[in-house]
């Protein structure tokens, strides 16, 4: 759903289809295997030890609506997330997308900023993850 270092977005198509109805991603990051194709329809359990990743998934799964996500501010090159009145977890989510492929959320919007498009994609696909669990 969002840009993250080491993401399997491009190679998820080469992974085998799930054999069982439960998918556990033990190092989930941006969970591209669970999001690939129809995999999202399974019982999905995400795990990540990085509290920032955990809190983004917790926010998207258990709290955010599509309207909440769409109401987050657009970001233009040079903008700082701290200049906007949004929650910490919203800053984390935006922070990964304003400097694509980062291992930590960034504060300042770089040239490679996918956020304005990503937020529309997240809002459109949010329904797919509402039954997921993150630990
Ligand atoms: C390269 S990323 C995973 C990318 C993911 N497959 C995707 O498609 O976006 C690796 C993730 O593993 C997490 N991680 C590293 N060691 C871990 C551990 N011992 N337990 C749980 N998560 C861990 C990191 O925090 C990071 O989010």
């Amino acid at each position: 759903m969002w840009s993250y270092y080491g993401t399997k977005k491009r190679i998820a198509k080469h992974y085998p289809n799930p054999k069982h109805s439960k998918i556990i991603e033990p190092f989930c990051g941006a969970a591209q295997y669970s999001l690939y194709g129809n995999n999202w329809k399974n019982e999905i359990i995400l795990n990540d030890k990085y509290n920032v990743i955990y809190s983004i998934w917790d926010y998207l799964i258990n709290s955010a609506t599509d309207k909440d996500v769409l109401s987050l501010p657009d970001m233009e090159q040079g903008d700082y997330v701290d200049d906007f009145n949004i929650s910490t977890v919203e800053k984390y989510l935006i922070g990964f997308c304003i400097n694509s492929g980062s291992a930590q959320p960034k504060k300042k919007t770089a040239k490679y900023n996918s956020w304005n498009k990503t937020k529309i994609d997240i809002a459109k696909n949010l329904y797919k993850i509402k039954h997921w669990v993150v630990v």
Side-chain angles (χ1 to χ4, degrees):
M1 287 196 152
W2 72 88
S3 170
Y4 190 44
Y5 89 105
T7 187
K8 303 298 179 286
K9 186 166 189 160
R10 291 206 180 105
I11 63 170
K13 63 183 176 209
H14 299 298
Y15 283 36
N17 290 326
K19 286 186 184 159
H20 305 285
S21 60
K22 182 187 287 186
I23 296 174
I24 302 172
E25 282 213 55
F27 303 86
C28 71
Q32 290 297 331
Y33 182 73
S34 295
L35 286 166
Y36 180 71
N38 283 327
N39 290 354
W40 63 271
K41 292 182 176 175
N42 290 277
E43 182 183 352
I44 306 285
I45 300 178
L46 304 181
N47 174 73
D48 204 292
K49 72 170 185 176
Y50 185 19
N51 70 310
V52 169
I53 292 297
Y54 167 82
S55 61
I56 291 174
W57 281 117
D58 181 51
Y59 164 74
L60 292 175
I61 293 169
N62 298 313
S63 164
T65 65
D66 54 348
K67 286 192 182 70
D68 292 334
V69 175
L70 287 173
S71 72
L72 293 171
D74 279 344
M75 301 294 289
E76 306 304 333
Q77 190 173 356
D79 286 348
Y80 283 88
V81 288
D82 286 340
D83 289 339
F84 294 89
N85 184 23
I86 55 179
S87 69
T88 300
V89 68
E90 289 166 339
K91 289 179 185 176
Y92 289 158
L93 175 60
I94 294 173
F96 277 119
C97 304
I98 55 175
N99 199 326
S100 299
S102 297
Q104 291 93 29
K106 298 292 169 109
K107 297 277 191 186
K108 185 180 178 185
T109 310
K111 187 174 173 190
Y112 298 104
N113 161 32
S114 63
W115 170 245
N116 301 342
K117 179 179 175 300
T118 297
K119 82 171 177 182
I120 296 168
D121 290 344
I122 292 175
K124 256 196 259 178
N125 288 295
L126 202 56
Y127 72 96
K128 295 180 178 176
I129 68 168
K130 289 299 182 184
H131 66 287
W132 292 15
V133 171
V134 61
V135 291

